[in-house]
Amino acid sequence: MDFRVASSGSGGTAHLEIDGSPVTGGIALPDTGGWNTWATLTATGVTLPAGAHVLRVVFETDGMNVDWIRFAN
């Protein structure tokens, strides 16, 4: 799973939840040097169950922009 993020600060952390349960540990989000300076981060080992679910990206700190999230199979 890839995240495209930007930050104009010290960065932060986020994690992914499915149906309210964490499916990743904390993902370190870097200071990219500006709100429109993007970096792509990859979270590996994420398995998404089949069917309809609530997927949530939880930002544990403020100050991040998210451009997109991509899931690969």
Short mmCIF file of all heavy atoms in Angstrom, two decimals:
data_model
loop_
_atom_site.label_atom_id
_atom_site.label_comp_id
_atom_site.label_asym_id
_atom_site.label_seq_id
_atom_site.Cartn_x
_atom_site.Cartn_y
_atom_site.Cartn_z
N MET A 1 0.84 -1.16 0.00
CA MET A 1 0.00 0.00 0.00
C MET A 1 0.90 1.24 0.00
O MET A 1 1.85 1.30 0.78
CB MET A 1 -0.89 -0.03 1.23
CG MET A 1 -1.87 1.06 1.28
SD MET A 1 -3.08 0.75 2.53
CE MET A 1 -2.31 1.57 3.86
N ASP A 2 0.61 2.18 -0.87
CA ASP A 2 1.41 3.39 -0.98
C ASP A 2 0.60 4.61 -0.54
O ASP A 2 -0.61 4.68 -0.78
CB ASP A 2 1.87 3.61 -2.43
CG ASP A 2 2.77 2.52 -2.93
OD1 ASP A 2 3.56 2.00 -2.13
OD2 ASP A 2 2.69 2.21 -4.13
N PHE A 3 1.28 5.54 0.13
CA PHE A 3 0.70 6.81 0.55
C PHE A 3 1.49 7.93 -0.11
O PHE A 3 2.72 7.92 -0.06
CB PHE A 3 0.85 7.03 2.06
CG PHE A 3 0.16 6.04 2.93
CD1 PHE A 3 0.76 4.84 3.26
CD2 PHE A 3 -1.08 6.33 3.45
CE1 PHE A 3 0.14 3.93 4.09
CE2 PHE A 3 -1.71 5.43 4.29
CZ PHE A 3 -1.11 4.23 4.60
N ARG A 4 0.84 8.91 -0.68
CA ARG A 4 1.51 10.10 -1.21
C ARG A 4 1.21 11.23 -0.24
O ARG A 4 0.06 11.63 -0.06
CB ARG A 4 0.98 10.42 -2.60
CG ARG A 4 1.69 11.52 -3.28
CD ARG A 4 2.92 10.99 -3.96
NE ARG A 4 3.45 11.98 -4.88
CZ ARG A 4 4.70 12.07 -5.22
NH1 ARG A 4 5.57 11.21 -4.74
NH2 ARG A 4 5.11 12.97 -6.04
N VAL A 5 2.24 11.73 0.46
CA VAL A 5 2.06 12.70 1.54
C VAL A 5 2.98 13.90 1.39
O VAL A 5 3.99 13.83 0.69
CB VAL A 5 2.30 12.05 2.93
CG1 VAL A 5 1.30 10.93 3.19
CG2 VAL A 5 3.72 11.54 3.05
N ALA A 6 2.62 14.98 2.06
CA ALA A 6 3.46 16.17 2.12
C ALA A 6 3.34 16.78 3.51
O ALA A 6 2.30 16.67 4.16
CB ALA A 6 3.03 17.20 1.06
N SER A 7 4.42 17.43 3.96
CA SER A 7 4.42 18.07 5.27
C SER A 7 5.39 19.24 5.26
O SER A 7 6.45 19.18 4.65
CB SER A 7 4.86 17.08 6.34
OG SER A 7 5.00 17.72 7.59
N SER A 8 5.00 20.29 5.94
CA SER A 8 5.89 21.44 6.09
C SER A 8 6.20 21.61 7.57
O SER A 8 5.99 22.64 8.16
CB SER A 8 5.23 22.71 5.54
OG SER A 8 6.12 23.80 5.67
N GLY A 9 6.66 20.55 8.16
CA GLY A 9 6.95 20.56 9.59
C GLY A 9 7.84 19.38 9.92
O GLY A 9 8.59 18.90 9.08
N SER A 10 7.66 18.86 11.10
CA SER A 10 8.54 17.78 11.55
C SER A 10 8.09 16.40 11.12
O SER A 10 8.65 15.40 11.53
CB SER A 10 8.66 17.83 13.07
OG SER A 10 7.37 17.65 13.65
N GLY A 11 7.06 16.32 10.26
CA GLY A 11 6.54 15.02 9.87
C GLY A 11 5.63 14.48 10.94
O GLY A 11 5.03 15.24 11.69
N GLY A 12 5.49 13.18 11.03
CA GLY A 12 4.62 12.59 12.03
C GLY A 12 4.46 11.12 11.79
O GLY A 12 5.28 10.48 11.14
N THR A 13 3.36 10.57 12.31
CA THR A 13 3.06 9.15 12.13
C THR A 13 1.58 8.96 11.83
O THR A 13 0.74 9.78 12.18
CB THR A 13 3.43 8.32 13.38
OG1 THR A 13 2.73 8.85 14.51
CG2 THR A 13 4.92 8.32 13.64
N ALA A 14 1.29 7.84 11.18
CA ALA A 14 -0.08 7.45 10.87
C ALA A 14 -0.15 5.93 10.91
O ALA A 14 0.87 5.25 10.87
CB ALA A 14 -0.49 7.97 9.50
N HIS A 15 -1.37 5.41 10.98
CA HIS A 15 -1.56 3.97 10.84
C HIS A 15 -2.88 3.72 10.13
O HIS A 15 -3.72 4.61 10.02
CB HIS A 15 -1.49 3.24 12.19
CG HIS A 15 -2.63 3.53 13.11
ND1 HIS A 15 -2.62 4.58 14.00
CD2 HIS A 15 -3.83 2.91 13.28
CE1 HIS A 15 -3.74 4.60 14.70
NE2 HIS A 15 -4.50 3.59 14.27
N LEU A 16 -3.04 2.50 9.63
CA LEU A 16 -4.23 2.11 8.90
C LEU A 16 -5.07 1.20 9.77
O LEU A 16 -4.55 0.31 10.43
CB LEU A 16 -3.83 1.38 7.62
CG LEU A 16 -4.96 0.91 6.72
CD1 LEU A 16 -5.66 2.10 6.08
CD2 LEU A 16 -4.43 -0.02 5.65
N GLU A 17 -6.39 1.43 9.75
CA GLU A 17 -7.34 0.59 10.48
C GLU A 17 -8.37 0.03 9.51
O GLU A 17 -8.77 0.71 8.56
CB GLU A 17 -8.09 1.39 11.55
CG GLU A 17 -7.24 1.88 12.67
CD GLU A 17 -8.04 2.67 13.71
OE1 GLU A 17 -9.24 2.93 13.51
OE2 GLU A 17 -7.44 3.01 14.74
N ILE A 18 -8.81 -1.19 9.76
CA ILE A 18 -9.94 -1.78 9.06
C ILE A 18 -10.96 -2.17 10.10
O ILE A 18 -10.65 -2.90 11.05
CB ILE A 18 -9.51 -2.99 8.21
CG1 ILE A 18 -8.55 -2.54 7.12
CG2 ILE A 18 -10.74 -3.67 7.61
CD1 ILE A 18 -8.01 -3.65 6.26
N ASP A 19 -12.16 -1.63 9.95
CA ASP A 19 -13.26 -1.87 10.89
C ASP A 19 -12.85 -1.57 12.33
O ASP A 19 -13.22 -2.27 13.26
CB ASP A 19 -13.77 -3.31 10.76
CG ASP A 19 -14.33 -3.61 9.38
OD1 ASP A 19 -14.85 -2.68 8.73
OD2 ASP A 19 -14.24 -4.77 8.94
N GLY A 20 -12.03 -0.53 12.52
CA GLY A 20 -11.64 -0.09 13.84
C GLY A 20 -10.44 -0.79 14.45
O GLY A 20 -10.03 -0.46 15.55
N SER A 21 -9.87 -1.77 13.74
CA SER A 21 -8.71 -2.49 14.25
C SER A 21 -7.47 -2.13 13.43
O SER A 21 -7.52 -2.18 12.20
CB SER A 21 -8.93 -4.00 14.16
OG SER A 21 -9.99 -4.38 14.99
N PRO A 22 -6.37 -1.78 14.10
CA PRO A 22 -5.14 -1.45 13.37
C PRO A 22 -4.64 -2.63 12.55
O PRO A 22 -4.64 -3.77 13.02
CB PRO A 22 -4.13 -1.10 14.47
CG PRO A 22 -4.94 -0.84 15.69
CD PRO A 22 -6.19 -1.65 15.55
N VAL A 23 -4.22 -2.35 11.31
CA VAL A 23 -3.62 -3.39 10.46
C VAL A 23 -2.18 -3.04 10.10
O VAL A 23 -1.52 -3.82 9.42
CB VAL A 23 -4.46 -3.66 9.19
CG1 VAL A 23 -5.79 -4.28 9.56
CG2 VAL A 23 -4.63 -2.41 8.36
N THR A 24 -1.71 -1.88 10.54
CA THR A 24 -0.31 -1.52 10.42
C THR A 24 0.14 -0.95 11.75
O THR A 24 -0.68 -0.50 12.54
CB THR A 24 -0.05 -0.45 9.33
OG1 THR A 24 -0.65 0.78 9.74
CG2 THR A 24 -0.57 -0.87 7.98
N GLY A 25 1.42 -0.96 11.95
CA GLY A 25 1.98 -0.20 13.06
C GLY A 25 2.09 1.25 12.63
O GLY A 25 1.58 1.64 11.58
N GLY A 26 2.74 2.05 13.44
CA GLY A 26 2.94 3.45 13.09
C GLY A 26 3.82 3.57 11.85
O GLY A 26 4.86 2.95 11.75
N ILE A 27 3.37 4.36 10.89
CA ILE A 27 4.12 4.62 9.67
C ILE A 27 4.71 6.02 9.80
O ILE A 27 3.97 6.99 9.97
CB ILE A 27 3.21 4.54 8.44
CG1 ILE A 27 2.59 3.14 8.34
CG2 ILE A 27 3.98 4.89 7.17
CD1 ILE A 27 1.43 3.06 7.36
N ALA A 28 6.03 6.11 9.78
CA ALA A 28 6.70 7.41 9.92
C ALA A 28 6.50 8.24 8.65
O ALA A 28 6.77 7.78 7.55
CB ALA A 28 8.19 7.21 10.18
N LEU A 29 5.97 9.45 8.82
CA LEU A 29 5.74 10.37 7.72
C LEU A 29 6.77 11.49 7.82
O LEU A 29 6.84 12.19 8.83
CB LEU A 29 4.33 10.94 7.81
CG LEU A 29 3.21 9.90 7.90
CD1 LEU A 29 1.87 10.58 8.18
CD2 LEU A 29 3.14 9.08 6.64
N PRO A 30 7.59 11.67 6.79
CA PRO A 30 8.70 12.61 6.88
C PRO A 30 8.28 14.06 6.65
O PRO A 30 7.22 14.33 6.11
CB PRO A 30 9.61 12.15 5.74
CG PRO A 30 8.63 11.67 4.71
CD PRO A 30 7.54 10.99 5.50
N ASP A 31 9.14 14.98 7.06
CA ASP A 31 9.04 16.37 6.65
C ASP A 31 9.50 16.41 5.20
O ASP A 31 10.66 16.10 4.90
CB ASP A 31 9.93 17.25 7.52
CG ASP A 31 9.97 18.70 7.07
OD1 ASP A 31 9.27 19.06 6.10
OD2 ASP A 31 10.71 19.48 7.68
N THR A 32 8.60 16.74 4.28
CA THR A 32 8.96 16.76 2.87
C THR A 32 9.45 18.12 2.40
O THR A 32 9.85 18.27 1.26
CB THR A 32 7.77 16.32 1.99
OG1 THR A 32 6.71 17.26 2.16
CG2 THR A 32 7.31 14.91 2.34
N GLY A 33 9.38 19.11 3.28
CA GLY A 33 9.88 20.44 2.94
C GLY A 33 8.83 21.40 2.42
O GLY A 33 9.16 22.54 2.08
N GLY A 34 7.58 20.99 2.36
CA GLY A 34 6.52 21.90 1.92
C GLY A 34 5.21 21.17 1.73
O GLY A 34 5.18 19.95 1.55
N TRP A 35 4.12 21.94 1.75
CA TRP A 35 2.78 21.36 1.65
C TRP A 35 2.50 20.77 0.27
O TRP A 35 1.58 19.97 0.11
CB TRP A 35 1.72 22.40 1.99
CG TRP A 35 1.79 22.81 3.41
CD1 TRP A 35 2.13 24.04 3.90
CD2 TRP A 35 1.55 22.00 4.56
NE1 TRP A 35 2.12 24.04 5.26
CE2 TRP A 35 1.77 22.78 5.70
CE3 TRP A 35 1.20 20.66 4.74
CZ2 TRP A 35 1.63 22.30 6.99
CZ3 TRP A 35 1.06 20.19 6.03
CH2 TRP A 35 1.27 21.00 7.13
N ASN A 36 3.25 21.17 -0.73
CA ASN A 36 3.08 20.63 -2.08
C ASN A 36 4.34 19.93 -2.57
O ASN A 36 4.53 19.76 -3.77
CB ASN A 36 2.69 21.73 -3.06
CG ASN A 36 1.28 22.23 -2.78
OD1 ASN A 36 0.35 21.43 -2.73
ND2 ASN A 36 1.12 23.51 -2.59
N THR A 37 5.20 19.52 -1.64
CA THR A 37 6.38 18.72 -1.97
C THR A 37 6.08 17.30 -1.49
O THR A 37 6.06 17.04 -0.30
CB THR A 37 7.63 19.28 -1.27
OG1 THR A 37 7.78 20.65 -1.64
CG2 THR A 37 8.87 18.50 -1.65
N TRP A 38 5.83 16.42 -2.45
CA TRP A 38 5.26 15.11 -2.13
C TRP A 38 6.31 14.02 -2.02
O TRP A 38 7.33 14.06 -2.69
CB TRP A 38 4.23 14.73 -3.20
CG TRP A 38 3.13 15.73 -3.27
CD1 TRP A 38 3.05 16.78 -4.15
CD2 TRP A 38 2.00 15.83 -2.43
NE1 TRP A 38 1.92 17.51 -3.89
CE2 TRP A 38 1.24 16.95 -2.84
CE3 TRP A 38 1.53 15.07 -1.36
CZ2 TRP A 38 0.07 17.32 -2.22
CZ3 TRP A 38 0.35 15.45 -0.75
CH2 TRP A 38 -0.37 16.56 -1.18
N ALA A 39 6.03 13.04 -1.16
CA ALA A 39 6.85 11.83 -1.02
C ALA A 39 5.89 10.64 -1.01
O ALA A 39 4.79 10.73 -0.47
CB ALA A 39 7.65 11.86 0.27
N THR A 40 6.30 9.55 -1.62
CA THR A 40 5.50 8.33 -1.62
C THR A 40 6.11 7.34 -0.63
O THR A 40 7.28 7.02 -0.72
CB THR A 40 5.44 7.71 -3.03
OG1 THR A 40 4.90 8.68 -3.93
CG2 THR A 40 4.56 6.47 -3.03
N LEU A 41 5.28 6.89 0.31
CA LEU A 41 5.71 5.93 1.32
C LEU A 41 4.99 4.61 1.08
O LEU A 41 3.84 4.60 0.63
CB LEU A 41 5.35 6.44 2.72
CG LEU A 41 5.86 7.83 3.07
CD1 LEU A 41 5.31 8.25 4.42
CD2 LEU A 41 7.36 7.84 3.09
N THR A 42 5.64 3.50 1.39
CA THR A 42 5.05 2.19 1.17
C THR A 42 4.93 1.44 2.49
O THR A 42 5.90 1.36 3.25
CB THR A 42 5.91 1.37 0.19
OG1 THR A 42 5.98 2.07 -1.05
CG2 THR A 42 5.32 -0.01 -0.04
N ALA A 43 3.74 0.91 2.75
CA ALA A 43 3.51 0.02 3.89
C ALA A 43 3.37 -1.39 3.32
O ALA A 43 2.50 -1.64 2.49
CB ALA A 43 2.25 0.43 4.64
N THR A 44 4.22 -2.29 3.75
CA THR A 44 4.19 -3.67 3.23
C THR A 44 3.52 -4.59 4.24
O THR A 44 3.37 -4.27 5.41
CB THR A 44 5.61 -4.17 2.94
OG1 THR A 44 6.37 -4.13 4.15
CG2 THR A 44 6.30 -3.32 1.87
N GLY A 45 3.12 -5.74 3.75
CA GLY A 45 2.54 -6.76 4.63
C GLY A 45 1.12 -6.48 5.05
O GLY A 45 0.62 -7.07 6.01
N VAL A 46 0.42 -5.57 4.35
CA VAL A 46 -0.96 -5.25 4.68
C VAL A 46 -1.87 -6.16 3.87
O VAL A 46 -1.79 -6.20 2.65
CB VAL A 46 -1.28 -3.77 4.37
CG1 VAL A 46 -2.73 -3.46 4.67
CG2 VAL A 46 -0.36 -2.85 5.14
N THR A 47 -2.72 -6.91 4.54
CA THR A 47 -3.68 -7.79 3.88
C THR A 47 -5.08 -7.24 4.13
O THR A 47 -5.48 -7.04 5.27
CB THR A 47 -3.58 -9.22 4.44
OG1 THR A 47 -2.25 -9.69 4.24
CG2 THR A 47 -4.56 -10.15 3.74
N LEU A 48 -5.78 -6.97 3.04
CA LEU A 48 -7.15 -6.46 3.15
C LEU A 48 -8.13 -7.61 2.94
O LEU A 48 -8.02 -8.35 1.96
CB LEU A 48 -7.38 -5.37 2.10
CG LEU A 48 -6.46 -4.17 2.17
CD1 LEU A 48 -6.77 -3.20 1.03
CD2 LEU A 48 -6.58 -3.47 3.50
N PRO A 49 -9.10 -7.75 3.85
CA PRO A 49 -10.07 -8.83 3.70
C PRO A 49 -11.06 -8.52 2.57
O PRO A 49 -11.30 -7.36 2.25
CB PRO A 49 -10.78 -8.86 5.05
CG PRO A 49 -10.61 -7.49 5.60
CD PRO A 49 -9.29 -6.98 5.06
N ALA A 50 -11.61 -9.56 1.97
CA ALA A 50 -12.62 -9.39 0.93
C ALA A 50 -13.90 -8.82 1.54
O ALA A 50 -14.16 -8.98 2.74
CB ALA A 50 -12.90 -10.73 0.27
N GLY A 51 -14.68 -8.15 0.73
CA GLY A 51 -15.97 -7.65 1.17
C GLY A 51 -15.94 -6.18 1.52
O GLY A 51 -14.92 -5.50 1.38
N ALA A 52 -17.07 -5.69 1.99
CA ALA A 52 -17.22 -4.28 2.36
C ALA A 52 -16.70 -4.07 3.79
O ALA A 52 -17.05 -4.82 4.70
CB ALA A 52 -18.69 -3.88 2.29
N HIS A 53 -15.85 -3.07 3.95
CA HIS A 53 -15.25 -2.75 5.24
C HIS A 53 -15.05 -1.25 5.35
O HIS A 53 -15.03 -0.55 4.34
CB HIS A 53 -13.89 -3.45 5.41
CG HIS A 53 -13.98 -4.93 5.37
ND1 HIS A 53 -14.30 -5.68 6.48
CD2 HIS A 53 -13.83 -5.81 4.36
CE1 HIS A 53 -14.32 -6.95 6.15
NE2 HIS A 53 -14.05 -7.06 4.85
N VAL A 54 -14.84 -0.77 6.55
CA VAL A 54 -14.50 0.62 6.79
C VAL A 54 -12.98 0.70 6.89
O VAL A 54 -12.38 0.10 7.78
CB VAL A 54 -15.16 1.16 8.07
CG1 VAL A 54 -14.69 2.58 8.36
CG2 VAL A 54 -16.67 1.11 7.94
N LEU A 55 -12.38 1.44 5.97
CA LEU A 55 -10.94 1.63 5.93
C LEU A 55 -10.66 3.05 6.40
O LEU A 55 -11.26 4.01 5.90
CB LEU A 55 -10.43 1.43 4.51
CG LEU A 55 -8.97 1.72 4.25
CD1 LEU A 55 -8.11 0.68 4.96
CD2 LEU A 55 -8.70 1.70 2.76
N ARG A 56 -9.75 3.20 7.35
CA ARG A 56 -9.45 4.52 7.91
C ARG A 56 -7.95 4.69 8.04
O ARG A 56 -7.25 3.81 8.52
CB ARG A 56 -10.10 4.63 9.29
CG ARG A 56 -9.87 5.97 9.96
CD ARG A 56 -10.62 6.08 11.27
NE ARG A 56 -12.04 6.07 10.97
CZ ARG A 56 -12.96 5.48 11.72
NH1 ARG A 56 -12.61 4.84 12.82
NH2 ARG A 56 -14.23 5.51 11.39
N VAL A 57 -7.47 5.84 7.57
CA VAL A 57 -6.10 6.24 7.82
C VAL A 57 -6.14 7.17 9.02
O VAL A 57 -6.83 8.20 9.00
CB VAL A 57 -5.47 6.96 6.61
CG1 VAL A 57 -4.06 7.41 6.94
CG2 VAL A 57 -5.47 6.05 5.39
N VAL A 58 -5.44 6.82 10.09
CA VAL A 58 -5.44 7.58 11.33
C VAL A 58 -4.12 8.32 11.45
O VAL A 58 -3.05 7.70 11.51
CB VAL A 58 -5.65 6.65 12.55
CG1 VAL A 58 -5.61 7.45 13.85
CG2 VAL A 58 -6.94 5.87 12.42
N PHE A 59 -4.18 9.65 11.45
CA PHE A 59 -2.99 10.46 11.62
C PHE A 59 -2.80 10.70 13.11
O PHE A 59 -3.66 11.28 13.77
CB PHE A 59 -3.12 11.78 10.85
CG PHE A 59 -3.13 11.55 9.38
CD1 PHE A 59 -4.32 11.41 8.69
CD2 PHE A 59 -1.94 11.42 8.69
CE1 PHE A 59 -4.33 11.17 7.34
CE2 PHE A 59 -1.93 11.17 7.33
CZ PHE A 59 -3.14 11.05 6.65
N GLU A 60 -1.70 10.22 13.63
CA GLU A 60 -1.42 10.31 15.05
C GLU A 60 -0.88 11.68 15.42
O GLU A 60 -0.81 12.02 16.61
CB GLU A 60 -0.45 9.19 15.45
CG GLU A 60 -1.06 7.82 15.18
CD GLU A 60 -0.07 6.69 15.21
OE1 GLU A 60 1.12 6.91 15.53
OE2 GLU A 60 -0.47 5.55 14.92
N THR A 61 -0.47 12.45 14.42
CA THR A 61 0.01 13.82 14.61
C THR A 61 -0.59 14.71 13.54
O THR A 61 -1.03 14.23 12.49
CB THR A 61 1.55 13.89 14.53
OG1 THR A 61 1.96 13.30 13.29
CG2 THR A 61 2.21 13.15 15.66
N ASP A 62 -0.63 16.02 13.79
CA ASP A 62 -1.16 16.99 12.83
C ASP A 62 -0.12 17.33 11.77
O ASP A 62 1.06 17.02 11.91
CB ASP A 62 -1.54 18.29 13.55
CG ASP A 62 -2.71 18.11 14.49
OD1 ASP A 62 -3.45 17.14 14.31
OD2 ASP A 62 -2.87 18.94 15.39
N GLY A 63 -0.58 18.02 10.74
CA GLY A 63 0.33 18.65 9.81
C GLY A 63 0.72 17.84 8.59
O GLY A 63 1.84 17.93 8.12
N MET A 64 -0.20 17.04 8.07
CA MET A 64 0.10 16.25 6.87
C MET A 64 -0.95 16.50 5.80
O MET A 64 -2.13 16.65 6.11
CB MET A 64 0.09 14.75 7.19
CG MET A 64 1.11 14.30 8.20
SD MET A 64 2.81 14.68 7.81
CE MET A 64 3.04 13.85 6.28
N ASN A 65 -0.52 16.55 4.55
CA ASN A 65 -1.42 16.51 3.40
C ASN A 65 -1.33 15.12 2.79
O ASN A 65 -0.25 14.54 2.72
CB ASN A 65 -0.99 17.52 2.33
CG ASN A 65 -1.42 18.93 2.65
OD1 ASN A 65 -2.23 19.17 3.51
ND2 ASN A 65 -0.85 19.86 1.93
N VAL A 66 -2.46 14.60 2.33
CA VAL A 66 -2.48 13.32 1.64
C VAL A 66 -3.02 13.56 0.24
O VAL A 66 -4.11 14.13 0.08
CB VAL A 66 -3.35 12.28 2.37
CG1 VAL A 66 -3.42 10.98 1.59
CG2 VAL A 66 -2.82 12.03 3.77
N ASP A 67 -2.26 13.15 -0.76
CA ASP A 67 -2.69 13.30 -2.14
C ASP A 67 -3.49 12.09 -2.59
O ASP A 67 -4.56 12.21 -3.14
CB ASP A 67 -1.45 13.51 -3.02
CG ASP A 67 -1.79 13.84 -4.45
OD1 ASP A 67 -2.84 14.48 -4.68
OD2 ASP A 67 -1.01 13.49 -5.35
N TRP A 68 -2.95 10.88 -2.32
CA TRP A 68 -3.65 9.66 -2.69
C TRP A 68 -3.12 8.48 -1.88
O TRP A 68 -2.08 8.55 -1.27
CB TRP A 68 -3.55 9.36 -4.19
CG TRP A 68 -2.20 9.43 -4.81
CD1 TRP A 68 -1.72 10.45 -5.59
CD2 TRP A 68 -1.14 8.47 -4.75
NE1 TRP A 68 -0.44 10.17 -6.00
CE2 TRP A 68 -0.05 8.96 -5.50
CE3 TRP A 68 -0.99 7.23 -4.13
CZ2 TRP A 68 1.15 8.26 -5.65
CZ3 TRP A 68 0.21 6.54 -4.27
CH2 TRP A 68 1.25 7.06 -5.04
N ILE A 69 -3.91 7.40 -1.93
CA ILE A 69 -3.54 6.11 -1.34
C ILE A 69 -3.78 5.06 -2.42
O ILE A 69 -4.83 5.07 -3.08
CB ILE A 69 -4.38 5.79 -0.09
CG1 ILE A 69 -4.18 6.85 0.98
CG2 ILE A 69 -4.05 4.41 0.44
CD1 ILE A 69 -5.13 6.73 2.15
N ARG A 70 -2.80 4.19 -2.62
CA ARG A 70 -2.90 3.17 -3.67
C ARG A 70 -2.74 1.79 -3.04
O ARG A 70 -1.85 1.54 -2.24
CB ARG A 70 -1.80 3.40 -4.70
CG ARG A 70 -1.73 2.32 -5.76
CD ARG A 70 -0.71 2.61 -6.85
NE ARG A 70 0.55 3.04 -6.29
CZ ARG A 70 1.42 3.84 -6.94
NH1 ARG A 70 1.13 4.30 -8.13
NH2 ARG A 70 2.56 4.18 -6.38
N PHE A 71 -3.62 0.89 -3.47
CA PHE A 71 -3.58 -0.50 -3.04
C PHE A 71 -3.17 -1.35 -4.22
O PHE A 71 -3.70 -1.20 -5.32
CB PHE A 71 -4.93 -0.96 -2.53
CG PHE A 71 -5.43 -0.15 -1.38
CD1 PHE A 71 -6.24 0.95 -1.59
CD2 PHE A 71 -5.06 -0.47 -0.09
CE1 PHE A 71 -6.69 1.71 -0.52
CE2 PHE A 71 -5.51 0.28 0.98
CZ PHE A 71 -6.32 1.37 0.75
N ALA A 72 -2.22 -2.22 -4.04
CA ALA A 72 -1.77 -3.11 -5.11
C ALA A 72 -2.03 -4.55 -4.70
O ALA A 72 -2.05 -4.88 -3.52
CB ALA A 72 -0.28 -2.90 -5.37
N ASN A 73 -2.22 -5.39 -5.68
CA ASN A 73 -2.43 -6.80 -5.35
C ASN A 73 -1.35 -7.65 -5.94
O ASN A 73 -0.56 -7.26 -6.72
CB ASN A 73 -3.80 -7.30 -5.80
CG ASN A 73 -4.04 -7.07 -7.28
OD1 ASN A 73 -3.19 -6.54 -8.00
ND2 ASN A 73 -5.21 -7.43 -7.72
#
